[in-house]
Amino acid sequence: MPNILLTRIDNRLIHGQVGMTWTNHLGANLIVVANDQVATDEVQQNLMDMAVAEPIETRYFTLQETIDKIHYAAEDQLIFLVVKTPQDVLRLVAGQVPIKKVNIGNMHFSEGKKQISSTVSVDDEDVRAFHRLHELGVKLEIRRVPDEKSLDILKFI
């Protein structure tokens, strides 16, 4: 069983809050980014790696690679899993990735989305994905940084 400490939805993927603040708070030693585009984009990977302090390691996998490889994680790998969307989380859960808790950190506003907190905006597809994740027993919280109070997203959607 992979040791996934937390899964975070953040459409920026790795940046200072993820690479330093959250990783230190969780005690993670590995950040796994599950994203189809970034998995093949070395420039983006290199930029994101600059936000991660040694000795934290990073891996960039497609969603399917994450599903296929996560169960081979070593026992001493303390994993912080980062994705862009709730649909990505739903796909991982459907693929048997053992995700118990999701931190919703950043979902940018765009046309067709409704802002529900200072950093989270959702559309109907996002809402459906969050409700399905809840039905599957996944705990869902909005929290930008570790020292903020956790908010239950279901109270806002």
Side-chain angles (χ1 to χ4, degrees):
M1 181 76 96
N3 194 356
I4 300 172
L5 303 175
L6 183 67
T7 300
R8 178 177 170 96
I9 297 171
D10 193 319
N11 54 350
R12 300 170 294 174
L13 298 172
I14 297 178
H15 52 90
Q17 283 176 354
V18 168
M20 300 287 210
T21 308
W22 276 102
T23 304
N24 289 336
H25 172 75
L26 294 169
N29 60 20
L30 175 62
I31 301 172
V32 173
V33 173
N35 181 270
D36 291 349
Q37 290 75 36
V38 173
T40 59
D41 188 334
E42 285 187 37
V43 172
Q44 279 197 44
Q45 292 175 22
N46 290 333
L47 288 170
M48 285 190 256
D49 283 346
M50 290 173 19
V52 179
E54 293 286 332
I56 309 304
E57 295 184 21
T58 55
R59 301 284 188 280
Y60 299 92
F61 297 138
T62 65
L63 292 168
Q64 189 59 51
E65 284 176 318
T66 304
I67 290 165
D68 294 342
K69 294 179 179 184
I70 198 79
H71 292 283
Y72 294 104
E75 198 172 297
D76 62 348
Q77 288 179 312
L78 306 174
I79 302 168
F80 183 20
L81 182 58
V82 182
V83 300
K84 273 194 177 189
T85 71
Q87 295 80 10
D88 292 344
V89 178
L90 194 54
R91 182 163 168 210
L92 294 174
V93 170
Q96 305 304 310
V97 176
I99 296 172
K100 303 295 180 217
K101 181 177 182 180
V102 174
N103 163 261
I104 303 115
N106 213 326
M107 293 176 62
H108 288 309
F109 180 82
S110 62
E111 191 165 331
K113 292 200 177 225
K114 176 178 90 172
Q115 189 168 354
I116 61 171
S117 79
S118 63
T119 60
V120 177
S121 298
V122 297
D123 61 18
D124 291 343
E125 191 177 327
D126 298 328
V127 170
R128 280 191 295 276
F130 283 128
H131 281 296
R132 182 67 185 129
L133 287 165
H134 173 71
E135 290 168 3
L136 293 169
V138 178
K139 183 178 180 339
L140 304 165
E141 68 166 12
I142 297 173
R143 189 160 52 139
R144 190 174 49 89
V145 291
D147 60 357
E148 272 185 355
K149 184 179 179 229
S150 170
L151 302 173
D152 181 353
I153 194 170
L154 297 176
K155 293 181 180 176
F156 299 93
I157 57 175

